[in-house]
Structure formats: C-alpha cells, structure tokens
Amino acid sequence: MNNRISSRGTWSLQSREMTGYGFQFLLLALFVVHVLTLNDATNLSLFQSINAMGARLPAWLVSAITDLGNGTTLGVIVLCYLVKRPELTLRVVVAAILSLLMVPLIKDYFAAPRPAAILEYLNIIGETRHANSFPSGHTATAFLFAVTIFLVSKCNKVKLGLIAVAAIVGASRIMVGAHWPADVVMGAIVGALCAYGALLLAPLVKLTDTLRLRSYLVLLVVILLCELDKGYDADAFWQVIMLRWIWFSVCAGLIWQSWKRTHRAAKLEG
C-alpha cells in the first residue's frame, strides 16, 4: 500500500514537473513548424535563406556554434552543469541513451538525402555528407540536454535561453549545409521527447559524495575516449578544437574542486 502511494506521489510530482514548465507548448510549437516544413517549397526556401546567412558569417564561428551539438562537446558542457546539479545525473544518462537508440534508427529508416546530394549550389562548412539527413542528430542532442534542464528549471529566463541556444545550434546545421529545416525540427522533437522519456523513467537521485565523484570521473573518461576515438578531423577549425579542449579543462577543474571540497569536509567530520 505504501509503495502504491509512493508510486502515485512520484508520478504526480513528475507530471507537475512536466506541465509546470511549458513542455506541451514547446512540443506543440515544434510540431506546427514541422508541419510547415513538410511542404517541399517551404523547406527549400527556408534552407536557402538560412544557409545564405551562414555564408555571411565567419566560417569558424558557425562551426563553433554547430559544434555545441556535437555529442562529446555538449556532453562535457553538461557534465560541468551536473557537477552543480548531481541529482540530474541519472536522468541525463537515460536521455542520452534514448537519443542514441532513436536517432540512428530514424536516420536508417528514412535514409533521406542531405542538401549536398540534391543541390548544386549551397554553402558548406566542414565535412560534406550526402546520406541519412533526417533527423538532425546535433539538434536532437542540443534539445535533449536543453529540455532536460528546462523541465527542472524554475527560471523563465533560463528556460528561454536554453531553448534559444538549442534552436541556434539547429539553425547552424542548415548554415553549414548539413541538414534541411525539416531535419532540424524533427531533431528538436526527438530530443525533447527523449528528455521527457527520461523524466518519466529516471527520478532525481541523491548521490553519496563517493558515488557522485566516481560518476563524474566515469562520465568524463567516457566522453574523453569518444573524443579521442574520432581521431584527427582535418576539416575542423583550430578555434573549434581549442574551445572543445577548454571545456574539457574546465570540467576537469570543476571535478577537482568538488573532490577537494568533499575531502576537506570529510577531514573536518573525522
């Protein structure tokens, strides 16, 4: 009986957490935009307009923005946030796993051609790809983490800022010539749904100091290995690579500070 009450209470809390922060409105807005991009003429027109904007901006800047949707780059940024909000660790991991399962499955199912496979003239920054365009994986990753934090934030400015940054990352995927607007919008929807799925599947957890620090280190090592496994990217701008490693350094520094505080507190208690 107590378990049933506890379960109902948890579900009620999660429902209020979801409904209290405008998730339904965000999802509805994304679906409306998605319907608009289903029209080929609208999809092409939006692509040409946004892609042309990318040609007027410094290439390294557009590449740095789009790199914020890169799994390793955004992963280490989010890990910096988790050092301050460790109770979200399990939820973020579950959301990431859901995205890693869903995005490749949808990409393989639709096997949609990218803009470079269809258009003769477009602005391309970075690697030129031709297949598996739908949905945008970078946008899914950006919205996954943005919505995960969005669902627990109490500050409207923070929530709006998170969605704005994720939307800019999505727009940058069009600027670099990697995706159609329809890909970007669906990537945002997939990322948001993965964040919501993690909300239902993974409760906020209170970690012991030891488990918390071990979790940080494991996640940092996994992200670092994923980054090293990609090898040298000849198309990457040095500014982007530098920013990426700055984030790794900041993350390592935050984990070190957290360890020092924990160690100092343990000595005082002892």
Side-chain angles (χ1 to χ4, degrees):
M1 183 67 178
N2 290 336
N3 289 338
R4 186 179 303 173
I5 293 174
S6 176
S7 177
R8 288 177 179 174
T10 302
W11 175 263
S12 176
L13 177 62
Q14 290 175 337
S15 297
R16 289 198 301 271
E17 186 178 14
M18 186 271 289
T19 56
Y21 298 94
F23 176 78
Q24 301 96 326
F25 177 78
L26 172 63
L27 203 59
L28 176 62
L30 289 173
F31 272 110
V32 169
V33 178
H34 175 62
V35 170
L36 294 175
T37 59
L38 290 178
N39 180 279
D40 290 340
T42 303
N43 196 37
L44 177 59
S45 177
L46 281 173
F47 173 84
Q48 292 174 331
S49 298
I50 299 173
N51 185 248
M53 290 173 56
R56 293 193 289 268
L57 295 172
W60 72 266
L61 177 60
V62 179
S63 183
I65 294 171
T66 208
D67 191 58
L68 293 176
N70 180 295
T72 55
T73 302
L74 189 54
V76 76
I77 293 173
V78 172
L79 184 52
C80 291
Y81 179 79
L82 292 179
V83 173
K84 303 297 183 182
R85 294 291 303 273
E87 71 275 10
L88 283 171
T89 302
L90 177 61
R91 187 172 295 178
V92 167
V93 171
V94 170
I97 292 173
L98 290 175
S99 179
L100 287 171
L101 293 173
M102 288 185 64
V103 172
L105 285 174
I106 300 173
K107 279 182 177 289
D108 291 340
Y109 178 80
F110 286 97
R114 293 183 187 251
I118 294 178
L119 303 177
E120 282 189 51
Y121 303 103
L122 72 160
N123 177 55
I124 295 179
I125 299 174
E127 182 182 357
T128 301
R129 296 183 180 180
H130 298 88
N132 290 344
S133 185
F134 183 85
S136 166
H138 280 65
T139 308
T141 302
F143 269 85
L144 180 152
F145 289 121
V147 175
T148 297
I149 300 172
F150 177 99
L151 289 169
V152 297
S153 176
K154 296 180 181 179
C155 178
N156 288 331
K157 290 182 179 179
V158 170
K159 292 188 285 186
L160 290 173
L162 287 167
I163 299 305
V165 171
I168 291 171
V169 172
S172 74
R173 299 306 291 159
I174 304 172
M175 292 182 187
V176 302
H179 286 286
W180 303 100
D183 306 334
V184 169
V185 179
M186 182 51 68
I189 292 172
V190 170
L193 290 175
C194 287
Y196 175 54
L199 172 74
L200 298 180
L201 295 172
L204 301 179
V205 292
K206 183 174 178 60
L207 303 175
T208 63
D209 291 338
T210 301
L211 182 57
R212 177 167 50 85
L213 290 171
R214 286 179 179 175
S215 299
Y216 295 157
L217 289 174
V218 169
L219 290 172
L220 181 60
V221 169
V222 169
I223 296 170
L224 182 59
L225 290 176
C226 290
E227 174 64 23
L228 296 175
D229 186 60
K230 293 189 297 186
Y232 175 72
D233 184 0
D235 295 320
F237 293 90
W238 68 266
Q239 295 97 329
V240 176
I241 296 174
M242 182 182 69
L243 286 171
R244 195 180 297 167
W245 285 102
I246 286 175
W247 278 113
F248 271 104
S249 301
V250 169
C251 186
L254 288 173
I255 293 174
W256 170 251
Q257 288 182 353
S258 180
W259 179 85
K260 285 201 302 182
R261 285 194 300 269
T262 301
H263 183 66
R264 190 181 304 118
K267 289 182 68 176
L268 291 174
E269 289 178 1

